Amino acid sequence: MASPADKRPVHRIRLKEGLRVSRRVLIAVGIVLMIAIGGNLPAALAAAPSKPITITWWINPWRIAPPGFPADKAPTAEDFPKWASEEFMRLNPGVTVKYEVVTNTGFDQKIAAAILAGNPPDVLRPIGFKREWARQGLLEPVEDYFTADDKQDFYGYAMEVGKVGSHYYLFPWNNSNNGMGSTFLINPAIFKERGVSIPPLPERGWTVDEFMQAAQKLTFHRDGDGKTDVYALSFPAKELLVMMGWMHVFGARLFNADQTEVVLNSPEGVRALQFVVDAIYKYKIAPEGAAGMGIYDSINMFHQGKTAMGYGGPYEIGRIDRYVKEGQLKEAFSVHITQYPNLPEIGPIAHHTSGGFVVFKQRDAEKKKVVMDFARFLTSKDNMTLLKSLLYVTARKSVNKDLYKGSTFEKEVDVYTRALDYGVPYFGTDITTDPIDKHLQAMFEAALGRTKTPKQALDDFAREANKILFKK
C-alpha cells in the first residue's frame, strides 16, 4: 500500500518543446550535474542509510538557547538537545536521535553503570574527559573525522585534552568552563560605594597586596549594629576549582613535574591555605562557616549583595539574567570580571580545561559513520555559535573571533580570555583524580573549619592521595 507521501500529486513543469518532466527528475539531474562539477550536496539531501539507524546521546544540563528561541525566556536544559536531535533527524532521513539530559549529581555513576552493562550512549558529553576509557578501548578514535580546516580551527590545547597515545578521542566543543577557578566576578556598585578602584583593563589583574587592601574596605556594615553586612568574598571549601585557584596563586601544585607524586603539601601549599584561613578568621574579609559552603552558597551571597566579589566567568554573568527570567532573582545588576590576585614572583593564574563529545565503540560501520556525523554536527561552526547564549567561549578560533564583537559583554569576555592565556590544568594532564576528590574536599573543610592546621590537613591529604594514586 502506498504511503501518504506516495499519494501526493507530482508537480510537473512544462518545457518549451511541450514535454512534461517531473520535478523529481529535474532535481535528480541537478544532483548529477553538481557531482559532475565537484559540487557538494546540501546537508538536507544526505543519503538515507540502508537501514533505520538510532543514535543515543547524553549530555549534562546546558541551558543553551537554540535558534529562534524567545529572547525574553530562559532556556531549559532540554531545549538545546531537543533541537539538535530534531534538526539532525530533519537533515538525515532514516536516522532517529534520542537524547537524555543527565543531572550533574550522579552523572559519573550513571555512565559507569551503563558501561558496565555494555550499553553506553553512542555520543556523550562527559564531565571531564576520562582517559581510562580510551586506554580500555571503550572509545572510538576521531582524528580521521577532523577536516584540515578543523585541525587549524580548533585550539591545539582543546584537541590535546582528548589525546591519548597517538590518537584523539574528543570532538572539542567548549573552551574552558564556567570560569570557576579562573576569574572573579565583582559588583562595581559596591566597589564604588566603598571608594575602591576596579583593576584596570585590559587584563584587570591585581596583586595579592592590592586585593587585600581592597578586600578590607569592601568588608563593612551598613546599619550601625557592628555586625558585618557585606564581606569582600567567600571561600566555598566544597568547590574544588575555586579553592585550587587559591592554592595556585601562591605557587602550589597538586602534582610534581612528572606527575608521579602528590605535592600539594609543599611550603607553597601551606602558605596558600594559611592565607585563606587568615582571611576568614584574622582579617575577617570572608564569612565563617566556609567549611560547609558549596559553590551555590557562594553564588547566592554574591547575588544577594552579601559579598562584593564572587567567582566565575562570563557564564556566571549570564546566570544573573537567567535567574531574573526564572524569578529566582528580583533584578539584574552590573558585573565585571577580574583575574584572581597574583604574587608578582609567580604571575597570574587560571584553570585551563576544554570539553567536548566522545563516541563510544561502534560495531556497525554504517552506524559509526552516522554517529560521527552527528558529533561533527554538534561541534560545527554554526552550532558552536549557540554557546554564545551561555556566554561561553568555544573551542574554535574562527567562531570566537567575532562571536562577542559589539556585544554588551565584549570587554568582559576579553578579560576572561586574557586570563585563560595564563591557564594550566589544576588536576594534571594524564591522571584521573576522581578517587582523591573527596579527600581533597575533606582537606579544605578541615583547614577552613579549623579542625586541623593547614599543614596537618595538607600532610594528611598528600599521604592518603599518594597511597590511592601511586600506591606510595
Side-chain angles (χ1 to χ4, degrees), residues 28 70 73 79 92 94 118 129 150 158 162 180 217 267 290 324 332 338 349 466:
K73 293 185 178 179
D79 290 314
N92 294 269
F129 178 68
D150 287 335
M180 296 302 169
K217 292 180 182 179
V324 170
T338 72
I349 61 94
N466 278 314

Side-chain angles (χ1 to χ4, degrees), residues 84-377:
S85 300
E86 291 175 351
E87 180 68 2
F88 190 78
M89 287 190 288
R90 183 185 73 79
L91 297 173
N92 294 269
V95 177
T96 299
V97 181
K98 297 181 178 181
Y99 73 88
E100 183 174 349
V101 177
V102 183
T103 59
N104 292 325
T105 303
F107 184 97
D108 287 340
Q109 291 83 349
K110 183 177 176 69
I111 187 61
I115 291 172
L116 189 62
N119 190 35
D122 296 306
V123 178
L124 176 75
R125 197 277 172 193
I127 303 177
F129 178 68
K130 305 293 191 290
R131 290 175 176 80
E132 63 270 26
W133 291 349
R135 295 190 182 107
Q136 292 166 9
L138 297 172
L139 302 180
E140 292 283 358
V142 300
E143 62 266 14
D144 290 344
Y145 299 88
F146 292 144
T147 65
D149 180 62
D150 287 335
K151 293 174 183 177
Q152 291 295 318
D153 200 24
F154 287 128
Y155 291 102
Y157 54 74
M159 293 184 64
E160 288 297 313
V161 167
K163 187 177 182 181
V164 178
S166 60
H167 293 292
Y168 294 88
Y169 295 90
L170 185 78
F171 284 95
W173 186 46
N174 61 290
N175 182 12
S176 187
N177 58 359
N178 57 4
M180 296 302 169
S182 293
T183 48
F184 280 9
L185 303 181
I186 67 168
N187 185 327
I190 297 178
F191 271 62
K192 183 177 180 180
E193 177 184 356
R194 302 299 293 167
V196 177
S197 298
I198 296 170
L201 291 169
E203 291 196 342
R204 288 213 187 103
W206 47 354
T207 66
V208 171
D209 286 343
E210 291 168 339
F211 163 79
M212 284 301 295
Q213 290 171 12
Q216 289 172 317
K217 292 180 182 179
L218 294 167
T219 302
F220 64 100
H221 58 90
R222 288 193 173 107
D223 54 16
D225 64 358
K227 295 180 180 179
T228 300
D229 296 308
V230 179
Y231 288 94
L233 79 171
S234 61
F235 293 99
K238 297 179 184 295
E239 173 51 45
L240 299 185
L241 281 172
V242 165
M243 297 308 301
M244 285 298 291
W246 283 108
M247 302 301 285
H248 277 251
V249 165
F250 290 86
R253 298 293 184 267
L254 183 59
F255 298 112
N256 60 2
D258 56 2
Q259 299 187 107
T260 57
E261 183 181 3
V262 172
V263 294
L264 196 62
N265 59 331
S266 63
E268 294 83 1
V270 174
R271 182 186 177 192
L273 199 50
Q274 187 64 60
F275 170 86
V276 173
V277 171
D278 287 346
I280 298 170
Y281 296 102
K282 181 177 179 180
Y283 298 104
K284 301 186 182 298
I285 62 169
E288 296 184 18
M293 291 182 71
I295 191 55
Y296 288 104
D297 299 308
S298 181
I299 288 171
N300 290 338
M301 288 193 73
F302 181 64
H303 286 179
Q304 293 164 14
K306 294 181 178 179
T307 57
M309 293 177 276
Y311 299 96
Y315 174 85
E316 291 301 322
I317 299 178
R319 185 193 296 277
I320 294 170
D321 183 60
R322 291 192 299 277
Y323 276 16
V324 170
K325 290 176 180 177
E326 294 169 357
Q328 295 187 53
L329 195 60
K330 187 176 180 180
E331 59 183 4
F333 59 97
S334 178
V335 173
H336 292 326
I337 292 175
T338 72
Q339 293 180 359
Y340 265 68
N342 69 81
L343 293 176
E345 64 270 27
I346 293 172
I349 61 94
H351 174 54
H352 201 276
T353 184
S354 294
F357 296 90
V358 299
V359 174
F360 281 92
K361 276 291 183 182
Q362 301 292 312
R363 297 186 179 91
D364 182 280
E366 187 175 20
K367 179 179 176 180
K368 175 181 174 180
K369 180 184 180 304
V370 176
V371 170
M372 292 294 184
D373 285 345
F374 180 63
R376 296 192 71 245
F377 167 79

Side-chain angles (χ1 to χ4, degrees), residues 27 31 34 40-48 90-93:
I27 291 173
I31 292 172
M34 287 177 67
N40 294 316
L41 296 182
L45 296 180
R90 183 185 73 79
L91 297 173
N92 294 269

